[in-house]
Amino acid sequence: MSVNQQAHTGPPYGQPQPGYQGYQQPAYGGQPLPGVPQSQYGAYNGPMPGYQQPVPPQGYFPSLGFPSKGSPVSLNSDASSLAPNFIGSLRAPPTSGAPPPASGASVPSSHLAYSQFGHGDVQNGIPASAAPMQRPPASQPFLPGSAPTPVSQTSTFQQYSPPASVQQLSNHMAGMTIGSTTASAPPPAGLGYGPPTSIPPVSGSFSATGSGLYTPYTASQGPPPTSVSQGLPLAQPPFPGQPISTQRLPTQVPGFAPPPSSTGIGPSSYPPTTGAPRPPTMPGPPLPGQTVAGPPTSQPNHVSSPPPPSAMSGPHPGPPMSGLHGPPPPTHPPQPGYQMQQNGSFGQVRGPQPNYGGAYPGTPNYGSQPGQPPPPKRLDPDSIPSPIQVIEDDRSNRGSEPFVTGVRGQVPPLVTTNFLVKDQGNASPRYIRCTSYNIPCTSDMAKQSQVPLAAVIKPLATLPPEETLPYLVDHGESGPVRCNRCKAYMCPFMQFIEGGRRFQCCFCSCVTEVPPHYFQHLDHTGKRVDFYDRPELSLGSYEFLATVDYCKNNKFPSPPAFIFMIDVSYNAVKSGLVRLICEELKSLLDYLPREGNMEESAIRVGFVTYNKVLHFYNVKSSLAQPQMMVVSDVADMFVPLLDGFLVNVNESRTVIASLLDQIPEMFADTRETETVFAPVIQAGLEALKAAECAGKLFIFHTSLPIAEAPGKLKNRDDKKLINTDKEKTLFQPQTNFYNNLAKDCVAQGCCVDLFLFPNQYLDVATLGVVTYQTGGSIYKYAYFQLEIDQDRFLNDLRRDVQKEVGFDAVMRVRTSTGIRATDFFGAFYMSNTTDVEMAGLDCDKTITVEFKHDDKLSEDSGALLQCALLYTSCAGQRRLRIHNLSLNCCTQLADLYRNCETDTLINYLAKYAYRGVLGSPVKTVRDALINQCAQILACYRKNCASPSSAGQLILPECMKLLPVYLNCVLKSDVLQPGLEVTTDDRAYIRQLVTSMDVAETNVFFYPRLLPLTKADVDSDSLPAAIRNSEERLSKGDMYLLENGLNIFVWVGVNVQQGLIQNLFGVSSFSQISNASSTLPVLENPFSKKVRSIVDMLQVQRSRYMKLIIVKQEDKLEMLFKHFLVEDKSLSGGASYVDFLCHMHKEIRQLLS
């Protein structure tokens, strides 16, 4: 495609969801939106290393990077001696309903439509086998409840159509929505109107899930199976672009049960055709060496069209050129017929989308013309699984209905989908998400699949305003009702027996007497009569008021305290930081967290400043002026005053205001550059001990603590250790002192939040230990500059002070017999093997728990988890928050793979890897990750997909994004740092990710990229996202990229002057300043729209993201390209295409 051709940027997905904040209705790429001036420039194909121009010369394979005479290995190749990291051929030229050109006719390249076939060997699902099977005609819609009747008579409307080939068949099969309820697809070009034909179906060795229609996402099924073996097409619209509504396919095909859901890349054992003629359909079983090839993906944002094939000539189909694949396909008499279609594709064939014009003009059909093959090309990125596609499909399929939690083992919508939750007995996915909702019955099966069984738990998650907060249940002095043996709390899964006098525990089966005050009669179904009146019997999440037995030293806790500890060394004062903090605290103290209906917060506050010594302040309300007391003996820290240090904000308001005015003046002329750090934490800890309460320290710190004191550190930063066996030491603390200090803090309920403002190496790996183990948060503002970083810091500080926190928290996860919690990841401390202890747990923190089998599970009873969190609320109330979740159990691996959640799996794998770097070389950790994922996919291939050529990559439907997301984790700064990434950055990211939830890791590893110039200024929605690759960018457009920590606004060199004026208030590209961290407030629709998008994204994230303006071909562009995660990275990370090849190779090695 020429650079001046309009690039496709919008994904072709489903309709917008009403009421979802932040996602504009997607549309088919490339055609202009009404009201947005069209750029005449195409995609930016700039100087990114490793990015190839779309059409390389013959004999050059871009993904290899060097000229080569052999052709690359395609996904469906059996050849082993070929280029190792290539995935099959590019899309071949498209077809249309027109008759084929005469032999020798050439076709203008402007006619290359999005291809109906030949997306080099990408096939979703299970390839063809030997049993022939009839199909109904494509135009027959399936109505709910009616099973399709095989039809073998000719269809009533016939039009000229070239013979259907196996290539086209599987192609079109791969082109349907993954289990979507509405598929508007154009009919297969040139093929849609001939008589039906019998096509080679695939083997029927699958377990049936019953007949009738697939109900969307039922507990037992997950998404509907995807496979070529489903010989039934979805109903086709008679004309391109006419939308239709199709029901899910009936599961019972004559003689066939539905196959497990899978997405295949690459056809079975025979070669693909790339513009070379397609082998005609065979009525019998496929012969060795023939191909069922890849999908016509009209995935969003094509940038390159393949060249037209050379003139057609020759007596019979020649072998394709996408690899050395064995013998050419034999010729067979042509069979007219319908193309196969299939339910789970990498890309979909869709009709024209709203807001965009129709498809490209069609080109002549090269259907059965023999001829010279075109030059080999790299695999088309549009023909491999797209995260954007999957996200949009889930949004359109599952965003409109509430997610009701009444059914066991339901897979929730993706974290990127905006949906409401109705609690009917299982905890909301906002509180708990699992890697799989159907877990293997035996440990052998779990070991075989290698799918980790883990739950990511966010016990205090914030709910949207439309959802109800957990009810607080007060059982009086007797406390919550619990099982006598395992101490599990009363929950909806407990079984009442003997007329309600006793209950049987669902976790350990022990029978316990019901306390007299809790007794209630049962109805005719065995349910208690008060079932719906008691949250603990009918809901998945609720809270109990804890009795004094659940409190430290058997006495109720005091309300917690906040202590603000400000570094007043030279750097902090000179940068304006001290003055900024003091100014902000004056107003912020009015917003301390408080219990729902309380007039004012019960939290008391205290103030400390420090450099080499510590200054405590008495701000007692009876004083006219604050008093300062200095402790210079930092080796033996004590708090010099008790009364007047921790005070109520309202009572001491004037004294506090006076203090905050005086601090910047007092230290304005300081020359002290050295700081201490450990004594500061010790001082806060001692103050909380003396006050006999829990609390939080807010420490604002600027430099490596080199002053003589406990916990003194030295500069040990050493880039030379990267990629050596000693690299792990960079992530470990340099002394054990802080680990012991953290233990003392946890015992007291002293949580530490750390705000760092470094201008050089600070040793985050060591300073962060106490924060990390007490459940606190670290915020880092490198090279802090007041005018650039002020907004971000103040927003973070406000949110950190105001957010909900549970203090002195202990969490335990109980499970039903058969599995148990064995491993934990997150920001906490553990003194034994079962209790997760946190001095503080806020609403953004997650704890990830891994489970292992210790016995067999049964399919009937399933598996249960109960997470119980004991904590002190911000008003000093001791509470228990309970979350329950029931999962299915399976004896078939296909059921496991059908109910996995890739986003949660990646969250777990990233945390597992990020912990691994503490004890192993980074390369070992990376290799282990790749190996585990290859084993997961190889096990699926071996046990769930039907037999097919090893040259075919088949991915489970639920896990088809595993390779792209895993590659993002492998390329992250912790596991593969670029030269510009500091040691502190890596330690910071490592700690940050360890307590992230699934939505945060999703956008952190695969950032969201939005075309701003495509935004509809009149709507509230976001523009449709595009894939993270440089080839998706157009020089004439602006884009926004966010990853949860940063927002980049990228401006192409050819953006129209009017847009630049509207957004930046300057008249030309060269005048845009990238020093600013905010967009100017201008009164025009485009400026308002872009600023509202930025605000909308800021609200969704737990931290305030730094805004960075990037001009194309500017030095900052390298940083921006680092986040285009589908491309090769400068630090050596593979592109998505190359990594997919690598994974395929690993899987083949495991299978052989």
Side-chain angles (χ1 to χ4, degrees):
M1 177 189 211
S2 78
V3 176
N4 292 331
Q5 208 169 321
Q6 171 73 4
H8 300 293
T9 42
Y13 303 131
Q15 301 306 316
Q17 292 313 317
Y20 181 55
Q21 296 303 309
Y23 285 89
Q24 189 209 353
Q25 163 162 333
Y28 179 61
Q31 282 71 4
L33 276 166
V36 176
Q38 180 171 355
S39 143
Q40 82 250 45
Y41 298 97
Y44 167 54
N45 294 331
M48 179 68 180
Y51 170 65
Q52 270 64 26
Q53 293 299 333
V55 184
Q58 175 135 18
Y60 178 77
F61 307 121
S63 75
L64 305 182
F66 50 85
S68 149
K69 287 220 167 72
S71 36
V73 176
S74 125
L75 277 188
N76 66 324
S77 136
D78 285 320
S80 50
S81 58
L82 303 165
N85 52 353
F86 196 78
I87 316 191
S89 58
L90 200 67
R91 291 171 299 163
T95 60
S96 84
S103 177
S106 72
V107 178
S109 60
S110 63
H111 276 263
L112 292 171
Y114 60 88
S115 163
Q116 283 299 76
F117 63 93
H119 267 244
D121 344 344
V122 178
Q123 168 195 332
N124 257 1
I126 299 160
S129 87
M133 179 174 70
Q134 302 288 20
R135 298 159 62 92
S139 60
Q140 173 191 332
F142 294 129
L143 301 171
S146 71
T149 33
V151 184
S152 52
Q153 73 274 24
T154 18
S155 147
T156 48
F157 52 100
Q158 269 199 48
Q159 177 186 327
Y160 163 78
S161 84
S165 73
V166 179
Q167 156 104 11
Q168 283 168 309
L169 296 175
S170 93
N171 241 324
H172 203 65
M173 291 187 84
M176 297 310 294
T177 323
I178 301 159
S180 84
T181 34
T182 56
S184 54
L191 258 194
Y193 310 117
T197 180
S198 80
I199 31 178
V202 291
S203 66
S205 53
F206 312 107
S207 56
T209 44
S211 64
L213 296 163
Y214 283 128
T215 39
Y217 297 85
T218 59
S220 63
Q221 276 158 265
T226 298
S227 142
V228 181
S229 78
Q230 198 107 12
L232 306 168
L234 289 169
Q236 280 279 18
F239 301 107
Q242 175 181 330
I244 52 161
S245 166
T246 48
Q247 303 298 331
R248 293 181 186 275
L249 297 183
T251 48
Q252 289 204 328
V253 179
F256 278 78
S261 145
S262 69
T263 301
I265 300 192
S268 58
S269 53
Y270 15 81
T273 52
T274 324
R278 301 163 291 169
T281 317
M282 299 152 292
L287 304 175
Q290 274 174 317
T291 194
V292 179
T297 55
S298 83
Q299 275 222 332
N301 338 318
H302 310 312
V303 180
S304 56
S305 301
S310 1
M312 301 291 189
S313 63
H316 93 139
M321 284 304 286
S322 59
L324 309 174
H325 305 294
T331 24
H332 279 275
Q335 290 268 336
Y338 289 93
Q339 281 181 289
M340 274 193 171
Q341 295 162 343
Q342 171 187 333
N343 243 3
S345 65
F346 287 170
Q348 300 162 308
V349 177
R350 291 276 180 116
Q353 297 291 311
N355 292 349
Y356 285 97
Y360 292 140
T363 47
N365 181 334
Y366 307 110
S368 344
Q369 306 294 330
Q372 295 299 312
K377 316 170 197 74
R378 78 171 189 149
L379 180 80
D380 178 12
D382 285 330
S383 63
I384 54 182
S386 156
I388 306 298
Q389 183 85 47
V390 171
I391 287 169
E392 285 296 347
D393 285 346
D394 192 76
R395 239 174 235 158
S396 54
N397 292 335
R398 307 200 63 187
S400 49
E401 292 295 307
F403 178 70
V404 181
T405 70
V407 182
R408 182 175 85 188
Q410 275 186 112
V411 183
L414 298 181
V415 283
T416 43
T417 298
N418 193 37
F419 59 99
L420 277 181
V421 180
K422 289 194 174 159
D423 185 342
Q424 291 192 0
N426 282 293
S428 161
R430 302 189 206 289
Y431 295 124
I432 307 183
R433 275 186 179 265
C434 295
T435 52
S436 179
Y437 287 80
N438 201 333
I439 60 180
C441 283
T442 64
S443 60
D444 290 348
M445 194 170 152
K447 282 195 191 90
Q448 186 185 357
S449 74
Q450 286 287 312
V451 175
L453 305 175
V456 179
I457 305 175
K458 196 176 182 183
L460 298 178
T462 312
L463 299 183
E466 311 85 75
E467 292 177 23
T468 319
L469 291 170
Y471 290 100
L472 182 60
V473 179
D474 184 358
H475 281 316
E477 288 183 12
S478 58
V481 178
R482 303 176 68 176
C483 166
N484 271 344
R485 184 197 288 158
C486 71
K487 302 295 182 214
Y489 294 87
M490 179 54 67
C491 72
F493 313 123
M494 298 290 191
Q495 188 69 45
F496 287 89
I497 53 175
E498 295 176 24
R501 285 187 293 280
R502 307 169 84 184
F503 68 90
Q504 183 167 23
C505 177
C506 50
F507 294 94
C508 70
S509 303
C510 173
V511 174
T512 301
E513 294 281 334
V514 173
H517 71 89
Y518 197 70
F519 174 78
Q520 186 54 268
H521 294 287
L522 308 185
D523 66 12
H524 64 287
T525 63
K527 261 187 188 168
R528 283 174 53 125
V529 180
D530 61 354
F531 178 80
Y532 290 107
D533 304 332
R534 291 193 176 271
E536 72 274 21
L537 298 181
S538 53
L539 298 177
S541 301
Y542 42 87
E543 292 197 310
F544 290 122
L545 205 53
T547 59
V548 75
D549 308 333
Y550 292 86
C551 303
K552 257 188 204 158
N553 310 326
N554 278 2
K555 60 187 229 187
F556 284 113
S558 312
F562 282 0
I563 305 176
F564 297 91
M565 316 184 91
I566 305 167
D567 173 347
V568 288
S569 63
Y570 177 73
N571 274 346
V573 174
K574 185 188 67 168
S575 66
L577 180 62
V578 173
R579 187 174 296 280
L580 182 68
I581 294 168
C582 292
E583 279 303 312
E584 178 61 28
L585 285 179
K586 286 182 200 169
S587 56
L588 188 55
L589 294 176
D590 289 332
Y591 296 96
L592 298 176
R594 56 173 182 258
E595 219 58 78
N597 47 10
M598 290 172 58
E599 289 286 312
E600 60 177 56
S601 174
I603 293 172
R604 292 170 297 162
V605 296
F607 302 88
V608 172
T609 54
Y610 67 94
N611 38 45
K612 271 186 4 184
V613 297
L614 275 78
H615 323 106
F616 293 80
Y617 297 93
N618 183 345
V619 282
K620 200 173 176 182
S621 56
S622 54
L623 296 173
Q625 283 293 319
Q627 295 172 348
M628 176 163 105
M629 300 183 186
V630 181
V631 176
S632 51
D633 181 7
V634 289
D636 184 17
M637 186 43 64
F638 68 100
V639 179
L641 74 161
L642 287 178
D643 191 30
F645 179 62
L646 294 178
V647 296
N648 174 292
V649 174
N650 279 343
E651 289 169 11
S652 299
R653 183 175 298 279
T654 50
V655 194
I656 291 172
S658 170
L659 169 67
L660 293 173
D661 283 336
Q662 289 175 36
I663 287 174
E665 307 307 326
M666 260 190 295
F667 298 101
D669 301 323
T670 184
R671 288 278 165 269
E672 185 54 73
T673 56
E674 292 188 354
T675 57
V676 296
F677 184 69
V680 182
I681 297 175
Q682 287 171 323
L685 173 61
E686 292 303 321
L688 293 177
K689 271 186 186 166
E692 295 185 347
C693 69
K696 187 182 263 200
L697 313 182
F698 296 83
I699 302 180
F700 305 91
H701 188 78
T702 60
S703 57
L704 190 71
I706 53 173
E708 215 35 70
K712 171 187 173 181
L713 300 178
K714 59 179 191 291
N715 187 336
R716 53 162 188 163
D717 189 17
D718 188 357
K719 281 278 178 83
K720 292 198 284 293
L721 297 181
I722 291 178
N723 294 327
T724 68
D725 284 355
K726 288 192 174 168
E727 184 172 5
K728 59 190 178 202
T729 59
L730 297 175
F731 296 109
Q732 298 164 352
Q734 50 174 291
T735 153
N736 271 336
F737 180 86
Y738 288 95
N739 293 54
N740 298 326
L741 181 54
K743 190 174 163 184
D744 296 341
C745 285
V746 172
Q748 181 55 43
C750 169
C751 176
V752 179
D753 278 0
L754 193 50
F755 292 81
L756 297 174
F757 306 87
N759 289 335
Q760 57 202 28
Y761 178 71
L762 192 76
D763 203 346
V764 173
T766 306
L767 296 189
V769 166
V770 179
T771 298
Y772 185 65
Q773 294 191 16
T774 58
S777 305
I778 302 183
Y779 299 85
K780 182 165 161 288
Y781 311 88
Y783 307 106
F784 179 81
Q785 289 175 275
L786 206 60
E787 56 284 1
I788 293 178
D789 298 307
Q790 164 175 341
D791 278 354
R792 182 163 61 109
F793 162 57
L794 293 181
N795 276 288
D796 283 342
L797 176 60
R798 285 167 196 154
R799 189 160 192 279
D800 197 59
V801 167
Q802 294 171 40
K803 67 185 172 187
E804 182 189 357
V805 186
F807 293 96
D808 227 339
V810 183
M811 186 182 100
R812 181 176 284 195
V813 178
R814 293 179 174 82
T815 53
S816 53
T817 312
I819 53 168
R820 61 194 172 86
T822 54
D823 208 350
F824 301 86
F825 304 83
F828 53 74
Y829 173 79
M830 289 187 83
S831 55
N832 58 35
T833 56
T834 55
D835 294 339
V836 174
E837 299 173 51
M838 294 153 289
L841 172 68
D842 65 50
C843 55
D844 297 323
K845 294 280 185 305
T846 63
I847 294 94
T848 301
V849 186
E850 186 179 7
F851 303 97
K852 290 264 181 5
H853 286 76
D854 56 7
D855 204 346
K856 280 196 174 120
L857 293 163
S858 90
E859 283 187 279
D860 299 338
S861 51
L864 302 173
L865 319 176
Q866 184 179 77
C867 161
L869 176 78
L870 175 65
Y871 70 100
T872 301
S873 75
C874 56
Q877 202 175 48
R878 201 71 174 147
R879 295 181 178 179
L880 283 152
R881 180 168 287 200
I882 314 293
H883 297 299
N884 303 288
L885 186 64
S886 59
L887 302 173
N888 286 328
C889 298
C890 58
T891 52
Q892 298 296 319
L893 282 164
D895 291 328
L896 163 69
Y897 283 102
R898 207 177 276 133
N899 291 279
C900 286
E901 234 255 303
T902 299
D903 293 321
T904 310
L905 190 56
I906 288 291
N907 180 285
Y908 165 83
L909 290 171
K911 291 171 181 177
Y912 184 78
Y914 282 17
R915 187 178 66 183
V917 298
L918 291 172
S920 308
V922 172
K923 184 178 186 312
T924 310
V925 173
R926 290 164 48 81
D927 291 346
L929 266 187
I930 293 173
N931 184 45
Q932 180 166 7
C933 287
Q935 286 189 319
I936 291 172
L937 297 175
C939 172
Y940 174 79
R941 172 65 194 265
K942 185 176 169 191
N943 299 289
C944 306
S946 70
S948 59
S949 144
Q952 187 180 18
L953 173 55
I954 300 184
L955 303 170
E957 188 51 52
C958 295
M959 287 190 191
K960 66 183 185 185
L961 297 181
L962 189 60
V964 61
Y965 286 162
L966 178 70
N967 191 32
C968 297
V969 175
L970 294 170
K971 285 159 59 165
S972 63
D973 291 337
V974 173
L975 298 181
Q976 193 161 36
L979 291 172
E980 70 298 333
V981 180
T982 66
T983 305
D984 274 345
D985 283 334
R986 296 177 75 196
Y988 172 62
I989 295 295
R990 195 191 77 76
Q991 295 197 8
L992 204 57
V993 167
T994 307
S995 47
M996 275 185 183
D997 72 6
V998 180
E1000 287 172 319
T1001 51
N1002 174 275
V1003 78
F1004 179 76
F1005 289 116
Y1006 192 93
R1008 180 151 57 162
L1009 182 59
L1010 306 172
L1012 292 178
T1013 24
K1014 299 272 189 292
D1016 178 358
V1017 292
D1018 299 322
S1019 102
D1020 291 340
S1021 56
L1022 293 179
I1026 59 171
R1027 290 171 66 170
N1028 280 333
S1029 170
E1030 187 173 357
E1031 62 186 60
R1032 310 284 172 179
L1033 305 182
S1034 153
K1035 290 182 177 185
D1037 288 327
M1038 297 187 209
Y1039 299 87
L1040 181 148
L1041 181 144
E1042 63 126 355
N1043 73 340
L1045 297 182
N1046 300 303
I1047 289 180
F1048 294 91
V1049 174
W1050 182 91
V1051 187
V1053 286
N1054 295 337
V1055 170
Q1056 290 172 355
Q1057 201 175 334
L1059 286 176
I1060 290 175
Q1061 182 72 51
N1062 283 345
L1063 189 57
F1064 300 104
V1066 296
S1067 55
S1068 71
F1069 179 82
S1070 58
Q1071 291 175 300
I1072 298 171
S1073 159
N1074 49 17
S1076 171
S1077 62
T1078 53
L1079 293 169
V1081 177
L1082 303 172
E1083 286 303 312
N1084 67 71
F1086 186 62
S1087 172
K1088 285 179 182 167
K1089 177 65 185 175
V1090 173
R1091 282 181 290 113
S1092 81
I1093 289 174
V1094 170
D1095 294 343
M1096 199 187 290
L1097 298 179
Q1098 293 285 21
V1099 169
Q1100 289 176 12
R1101 306 291 168 216
S1102 61
R1103 288 165 184 251
Y1104 196 82
M1105 296 180 279
K1106 180 178 186 173
L1107 183 86
I1108 301 168
I1109 294 164
V1110 178
K1111 292 155 71 176
Q1112 187 182 344
E1113 293 164 12
D1114 184 62
K1115 59 182 188 298
L1116 268 176
E1117 200 183 20
M1118 279 309 174
L1119 179 61
F1120 173 75
K1121 285 180 182 174
H1122 179 67
F1123 297 99
L1124 298 176
V1125 289
E1126 289 196 22
D1127 298 336
K1128 279 198 173 90
S1129 70
L1130 290 174
S1131 52
S1135 70
Y1136 175 20
V1137 167
D1138 291 349
F1139 183 70
L1140 200 53
C1141 295
H1142 180 69
M1143 283 301 288
H1144 187 209
K1145 202 172 77 180
E1146 295 281 325
I1147 292 166
R1148 289 179 66 171
Q1149 280 176 349
L1150 288 171
L1151 291 173
S1152 60

